[in-house]
């Protein structure tokens, strides 16, 4: 998926940046067997599922799973199915992966590694895990009236810990965000807004030294390489090869009549040189990063490489302009 650089503007501000989802646009991305998102999610669920699958005590996740099954059917052949509820024996299935949960029984003939992973989980974790593996997106439920997040299935967080956020109000979840006063002050109205009937999305991005999709803070990330020479600020050193452009498409899927919405997070990470291929993209990214406050640069871990990154973007814009 190619990143749309049009939302990258200067001066950079931590703000909601919401825009309407285009009519009929898909908000879910089915995982194909062997895909990168599936591999990384399996690694997380196979080692630390309690950090990814989180809910407040007594929470009933069935309405969330049903809503996502309905959404999956809306965009075509569904990658996640919930049926059999009238008989009292609920069946959750991920047809593209070849696995299903029939009550407490695990059935399927897909990748044996997926079956073994699901079998190793606690029974209460398996349905959410199957949902998580079925899609590239991560999920969180936002309750509009309370502004809290009572349930999450987040395997690929961006330097935040889902297990520490579950049950918290919207404002508290965003407390660590640098220069995030606008978002925190508007948290109650924002929560009501995005849990209404309309569908909204936003784009989030950064530049990172860690190419992985999984950025849980408990795992040490890759460090930026030191410049080869003290004045190596033209960007043509090991920095450029180490840099990845990380982006998120975040959307809200309303659950009709509930005052709740499912927050979806689609993460991508590609080499910076593969993401920034035009003069316009290089210029937009340069101007946005150049306008970041010291607090935001530190929050994004770009304070130590700001000048090298800006120099690389200047060179990238010049190279792209000459190739027109």
């Amino acid at each position: 998926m190619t990143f749309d650089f049009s939302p990258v503007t200067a001066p950079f501000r931590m703000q909601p940046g919401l825009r309407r989802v285009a009519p009929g646009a898909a908000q879910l991305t089915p995982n194909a067997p062997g895909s990168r998102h599936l591999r990384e999610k399996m690694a997380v669920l196979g080692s630390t599922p309690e950090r990814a699958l989180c809910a407040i005590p007594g929470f009933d996740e069935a309405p969330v799973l049903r809503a996502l099954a309905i959404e999956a059917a809306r965009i075509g052949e569904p990658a996640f199915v919930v049926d059999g509820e009238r008989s009292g024996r609920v069946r959750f299935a991920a047809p593209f992966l070849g696995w299903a949960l029939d009550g407490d029984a695990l059935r399927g003939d897909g990748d044996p590694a997926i079956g073994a992973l699901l079998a190793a989980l606690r029974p209460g974790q398996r349905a959410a895990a199957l949902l998580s593996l079925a899609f590239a997106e991560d999920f969180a439920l936002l309750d509009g009236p309370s502004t809290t997040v009572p349930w999450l299935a987040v395997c690929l967080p961006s330097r935040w810990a889902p297990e520490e956020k579950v049950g918290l109000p919207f404002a508290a979840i965003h407390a660590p965000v640098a220069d995030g006063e606008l978002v925190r002050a508007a948290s109650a109205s924002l929560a009501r807004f995005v849990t209404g009937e309309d569908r909204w999305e936003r784009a989030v991005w950064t530049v990172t030294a860690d190419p992985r999709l999984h950025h849980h803070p408990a795992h040490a990330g890759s460090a930026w390489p030191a410049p080869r020479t003290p004045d190596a600020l033209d960007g043509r050193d090991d920095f450029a090869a180490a840099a990845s452009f990380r982006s998120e498409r975040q959307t809200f899927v309303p659950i009709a009549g509930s005052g709740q919405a499912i927050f979806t997070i689609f993460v991508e990470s590609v080499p910076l040189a593969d993401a920034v291929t035009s003069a316009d993209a290089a210029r937009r990214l340069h101007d946005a990063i150049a306008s970041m406050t010291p607090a935001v640069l530190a929050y994004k871990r770009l304070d130590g490489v700001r000048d090298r990154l800006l120099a690389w973007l200047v060179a990238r814009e010049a190279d792209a302009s000459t190739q027109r």
Side-chain angles (χ1 to χ4, degrees), residues 163-232:
E163 71 275 19
E164 296 177 0
K165 304 298 184 181
V166 64
L168 293 182
F170 195 76
I173 288 173
H174 289 85
V177 176
D179 292 356
E181 293 82 3
L182 178 62
V183 174
R184 290 187 287 271
S187 60
S189 58
L190 276 172
R192 290 191 296 269
F193 183 70
V194 298
T195 54
E197 296 182 359
D198 295 328
R199 293 174 178 244
W200 301 94
E201 67 178 324
R202 65 190 294 257
V204 178
W205 59 268
T206 192
V207 179
T208 174
D210 190 343
R212 298 174 302 174
L213 300 176
H214 175 223
H215 280 198
H216 192 286
H219 296 273
S222 304
W224 290 108
R228 292 179 180 176
T229 61
D231 59 347

Side-chain angles (χ1 to χ4, degrees), residues 213-309:
L213 300 176
H214 175 223
H215 280 198
H216 192 286
H219 296 273
S222 304
W224 290 108
R228 292 179 180 176
T229 61
D231 59 347
L233 296 179
D234 64 353
R236 301 180 186 280
D237 57 16
D238 292 343
F239 161 78
S244 293
F245 185 78
R246 182 180 178 91
S247 63
E248 295 183 11
R249 183 197 181 209
Q250 303 176 352
T251 82
F252 295 87
V253 178
I255 302 178
S258 70
Q260 297 178 328
I262 302 165
F263 180 52
T264 77
I265 313 166
F266 179 84
V267 178
E268 279 196 303
S269 181
V270 299
L272 183 63
D274 291 348
V276 184
T277 58
S278 70
D280 179 68
R283 181 168 54 253
R284 285 178 175 274
L285 195 56
H286 174 280
D287 293 349
I289 292 170
S291 68
M292 288 179 179
T293 66
V296 169
L297 287 168
Y299 175 74
K300 290 180 171 288
R301 300 184 180 179
L302 295 175
D303 46 340
V305 295
R306 174 187 181 274
D307 291 344
R308 294 163 70 190
L309 176 54

